[in-house]
Amino acid sequence: MKHKPFFWFVLPSALAMLCFIFFPIISVVVQSVHVAHEQVIKVVETCDLFGCKESTTVDQDATDALRAERPLGQFAGLTTYADINHLAIDEVGDNWRQSNSWREFGSQMLNLPFYKAIGFTLTFTFIVTPLVIVFGFIIAVAVNAAVQKIRGPLIFFSLLPMMITPLVGALILFWMVDARGIIGATLQYLAGDPDLSVKASTPLTWIMLMVYGVWHSAPFAFIVYYAGLQSVNQDTLEAARVDGANRWLQIRHVIIPHLLPLTTFIALMQLMDNFRVFEPIVSFSAEAHATSLSWAIYNDLGGETRQLSSAAATSVLTIIGVAILLSPVLVRTWREFDRK
Amino acid sequence: MSSKAQRQPAAVTFLVVLVLAVWMILAAFPFLWTLWGSFKVEGDFFSKANWANALTGKLTIVETGGVFTGDGYYGAWIQEEFWRAALNSTIVCFFVVTISLTLGTLGGYALARSTYRYAFWFLLAALIFRAMPPITLVSGYLPVFFQWNLWGHTATTIIVLVAINQPFTLWMLHSFFKNIPAELDESAMVDGCTRFQAFRNVIIPVMWPGVITTGLFSFLLAYNDFAVTTMLLSKENQTMIPKVASFLGTTQTKGNVMFAVSSVVSVTAPLFLMVLFFQRQIVGGLTAGAVKG
């Protein structure tokens, strides 16, 4: 395709992405190095019978004028990044000097909002992703072994947890896990503890969020693997069988190597999606026990006072995280393209 | 196909049936439970005495006189005006899907036909954009939207969702167009068509299967979105998902959690129908990206 028609064909979608994805990223970076203006203080002298007094008040007009004139706020450099809600450099230093063991250091770090969020986000990402791959594979193999006739309904029900809105899917699970819901009541019965509450315990909340994550994403891995299984070379499988490979060896040496390229694809998509974990935390109202980077931004933006600079700084740190996560894939794609 | 070639030993059959049975319960039971429970009163859905009350509806009979009650639905749809949110969702989804597909088919077609290096860079940039969590972008929109008075309008949200949708749409349509032989439009151009005429008269008639599949996923993204819609829409323009979330804040204290339950069921129903009718396209779409790399 020639340059000129190409340009006109991609222009609308390029403009959309430029204006609403690329510029916002720049805007976030700029915002994160600014903070809101301080209020303008003026000194007023009031005189009465007993003499004159000086008092300070907020000059509302001047403050508004300043804010209107320079809406970005004042330049603050990297101070927002260093404050207690983000990288908390001073506090981390104090912790490091004062704590006696790694354990103590770790638990102190999890009290800082940013480290609490990133701790959960990374744990979630790196526990849920492998589990999704394993469970998706098991389900795919099982469905593939089922009779042709029931595969349609099996796939239909398998798709549901993935297609459901994350917020809504998490809510459905949350209501069942409630102490008065069916799963919550069963857990209490099994544990023999009538006061057991998943919501009140940090480890149980983390586990519940991850169970939700696997439930929600396993169908994706399943579908991709299932499609891959349809294209396994039957001759190779037959040959393995003739050579005396049992079921497990067939899976181990024929099917898994065949599905390996699909695994990188699933892992990539899952890493990207799990890193942005957000809705389940809102649904489970789990913020007391678990927060994520996306939730931290949401929390800054919502509410009465919109803390735009703080949200922007967390956003930039999140984008850096995404970039680190994505870099192996990008490097690989680049090399492959260069070879072609 | 493998069952013909080899007979399964009983142990393997048992294992397969077990895995499938457990998975089916995990996948389907929560939905059935919530659907059933949405027609009960709160005392039954969250039963302190016995969870089986949710099945038999003991308190529902006491409070309303019947085994099933539509109170939750009435409260959510009429009293709390959930119908307005449903209407807003319909508008947002319709426009997001149409605009996404229009921009996406043009761009995806060009990317599939261009042999130059910059097409590859374009796709790579789209992949990076795809990885950005939407909420990080929202924090970039807010100050600008406030200043230019764009905040709160449905149109703004539609355009934002279209843009966030673009990377995915481009990748998907690009791989669909790659499957349509290039000879088709090239021969039209040899006959004197311009590039756009070739696209219009030759490609558009054969592209619908791919476009429908991509449209389903665009719809899902717009319908399921929470981060963007909750932050960018004013209260009267709210779509269904932020509305459900707002029920959590206000109604849990009022004891009307059943409003949230019934609205959750209402949100799920269209998705259920969509999977039912378009299962083949969805499966095809999910695997298209993987199989073609």
Side-chain angles (χ1 to χ4, degrees):
Chain A
M1 197 169 192
K2 296 214 180 59
H3 300 302
K4 211 175 142 192
F6 178 84
F7 174 78
W8 288 111
F9 269 89
V10 297
L11 182 70
S13 96
L15 268 182
M17 290 199 288
L18 198 68
C19 292
F20 292 98
I21 302 180
F22 184 70
F23 287 156
I25 294 175
I26 305 287
S27 145
V28 160
V29 175
V30 173
Q31 234 183 97
S32 69
V33 293
H34 288 81
V35 292
H37 291 289
E38 279 156 24
Q39 286 167 323
V40 180
I41 307 289
K42 66 175 175 192
V43 182
V44 191
E45 203 180 34
T46 42
C47 295
D48 53 19
L49 281 173
F50 308 102
C52 288
K53 266 189 297 190
E54 277 190 350
S55 62
T56 52
T57 55
V58 174
D59 187 343
Q60 214 63 50
D61 295 339
T63 309
D64 289 346
L66 185 62
R67 286 194 181 153
E69 189 189 328
R70 283 191 298 161
L72 257 181
Q74 51 184 332
F75 184 75
L78 296 177
T79 44
T80 312
Y81 289 96
D83 73 7
I84 186 162
N85 286 322
H86 298 92
L87 294 176
I89 292 172
D90 296 340
E91 287 78 4
V92 172
D94 287 347
N95 280 348
W96 180 250
R97 279 189 294 279
Q98 284 162 14
S99 54
N100 303 316
S101 64
W102 279 102
R103 220 187 140 72
E104 198 187 325
F105 179 66
S107 68
Q108 285 295 322
M109 291 289 280
L110 288 182
N111 288 332
L112 295 166
F114 178 75
Y115 293 98
K116 184 183 171 191
I118 203 166
F120 178 74
T121 309
L122 289 178
T123 317
F124 185 87
T125 309
F126 288 103
I127 288 183
V128 169
T129 307
L131 285 179
V132 161
I133 290 172
V134 170
F135 281 109
F137 179 73
I138 294 173
I139 299 166
V141 170
V143 170
N144 202 38
V147 191
Q148 198 80 39
K149 238 193 251 165
I150 63 162
R151 285 190 199 173
L154 284 177
I155 294 174
F156 171 74
F157 285 110
S158 302
L159 280 174
L160 289 179
M162 174 178 62
M163 289 300 162
I164 185 90
T165 317
L167 186 98
V168 164
L171 266 179
I172 289 178
L173 244 57
F174 178 61
W175 287 329
M176 293 172 80
V177 170
D178 189 279
R180 297 161 299 163
I182 179 166
I183 298 178
T186 312
L187 286 178
Q188 285 175 346
Y189 174 76
L190 288 179
D193 173 7
D195 294 324
L196 181 81
S197 165
V198 176
K199 286 187 270 184
S201 137
T202 303
L204 286 178
T205 307
W206 282 43
I207 292 172
M208 182 172 67
L209 286 165
M210 287 180 207
V211 166
Y212 166 76
V214 174
W215 181 77
H216 177 66
S217 305
F220 173 69
F222 151 67
I223 289 294
V224 175
Y225 278 138
Y226 179 73
L229 283 174
Q230 307 310 307
S231 62
V232 170
N233 190 335
Q234 290 302 313
D235 293 341
T236 321
L237 214 54
E238 185 70 44
R241 218 170 285 141
V242 170
D243 286 348
N246 62 21
R247 239 160 247 281
W248 164 244
L249 285 175
Q250 287 168 30
I251 289 184
R252 172 73 191 77
H253 292 289
V254 180
I255 293 179
I256 291 185
H258 176 76
L259 295 180
L260 212 56
L262 298 182
T263 306
T264 35
F265 167 74
I266 298 171
L268 166 69
M269 301 306 269
Q270 284 302 308
L271 285 177
M272 291 199 292
D273 287 347
N274 290 330
F275 193 73
R276 57 172 79 153
V277 53
F278 164 51
E279 283 103 332
I281 296 178
V282 177
S283 292
F284 286 126
S285 358
E287 56 269 20
H289 303 290
T291 58
S292 72
L293 292 172
S294 293
W295 186 87
I297 301 169
Y298 167 77
N299 192 42
D300 277 345
L301 289 177
E304 292 285 294
T305 53
R306 294 179 189 267
Q307 291 164 301
L308 296 174
S309 304
S310 170
T314 314
S315 298
V316 171
L317 293 169
T318 308
I319 291 173
I320 293 171
V322 170
I324 294 172
L325 219 56
L326 213 61
S327 55
V329 186
L330 291 181
V331 169
R332 215 191 61 167
T333 322
W334 185 337
R335 284 217 191 105
E336 261 172 30
F337 186 78
D338 257 1
R339 238 179 284 139
K340 273 185 221 162
Chain B
M1 80 214 125
S2 59
S3 54
K4 248 185 295 163
Q6 51 180 156
R7 293 227 47 86
Q8 290 183 340
V12 174
T13 315
F14 176 73
L15 202 66
V16 166
V17 171
L18 185 76
V19 168
L20 289 178
V22 170
W23 169 242
M24 278 304 107
I25 291 172
L26 287 177
F29 178 69
F31 297 103
L32 299 174
W33 174 261
T34 312
L35 174 67
W36 183 268
S38 69
F39 292 102
K40 307 285 178 194
V41 295
E42 191 184 342
D44 279 333
F45 190 64
F46 295 105
S47 180
K48 280 194 190 94
N50 182 2
W51 63 265
N53 282 355
L55 294 180
T56 54
K58 208 166 137 197
L59 286 172
T60 313
I61 298 174
V62 176
E63 284 179 31
T64 64
V67 184
F68 297 107
T69 169
D71 285 355
Y73 290 91
Y74 180 82
W77 280 81
I78 312 290
Q79 204 175 316
E80 297 285 331
E81 300 198 319
F82 195 70
W83 60 269
R84 202 186 288 274
L87 194 68
N88 286 330
S89 273
T90 317
I91 296 169
V92 167
C93 289
F94 174 78
F95 283 105
V96 168
V97 171
T98 14
I99 301 173
S100 290
L101 289 180
T102 314
L103 303 190
T105 39
L106 290 172
Y109 171 71
L111 288 168
R113 289 294 182 263
S114 175
T115 46
Y116 292 103
R117 206 184 167 97
Y118 52 71
F120 166 78
W121 288 113
F122 196 95
L123 281 170
L124 204 62
L127 180 71
I128 297 170
F129 289 158
R130 157 78 174 75
M132 294 295 148
I135 191 89
T136 57
L137 302 176
V138 170
S139 69
Y141 301 142
L142 279 181
V144 182
F145 285 1
F146 280 136
Q147 202 171 2
W148 294 349
N149 264 332
L150 293 170
W151 186 86
H153 303 296
T154 313
T156 318
T157 305
I158 290 172
I159 295 174
V160 165
L161 284 175
V162 165
I164 292 180
N165 231 334
Q166 272 307 295
F168 176 79
T169 314
L170 280 179
W171 266 91
M172 200 143 169
L173 285 169
H174 154 256
S175 64
F176 275 113
F177 282 123
K178 275 244 147 121
N179 278 0
I180 299 177
E183 287 80 25
L184 217 59
D185 33 327
E186 271 159 20
S187 61
M189 286 167 70
V190 169
D191 290 347
C193 283
T194 63
R195 184 51 91 166
F196 188 75
Q197 282 169 331
F199 175 72
R200 233 196 87 164
N201 299 325
V202 180
I203 298 297
I204 287 187
V206 297
M207 74 179 184
W208 294 109
V211 170
I212 289 173
T213 305
T214 316
L216 286 172
F217 285 92
S218 299
F219 169 80
L220 270 180
L221 188 137
Y223 189 84
N224 285 348
D225 180 86
F226 173 66
V228 174
T229 47
T230 194
M231 281 296 164
L232 292 186
L233 284 172
S234 58
K235 209 164 174 80
E236 60 272 22
N237 288 335
Q238 237 171 16
T239 53
M240 289 201 273
I241 307 301
K243 184 83 177 170
V244 171
S246 74
F247 278 152
L248 297 179
T250 55
T251 52
Q252 201 125 32
T253 43
K254 273 197 280 174
N256 280 334
V257 72
M258 294 319 285
F259 291 179
V261 177
S262 54
S263 56
V264 155
V265 174
S266 315
V267 169
T268 314
L271 292 175
F272 195 84
L273 291 177
M274 195 188 91
V275 180
L276 196 64
F277 288 117
F278 294 104
Q279 182 175 334
R280 213 162 46 88
Q281 282 84 350
I282 293 170
V283 172
L286 282 173
T287 48
V291 178
K292 283 165 209 129

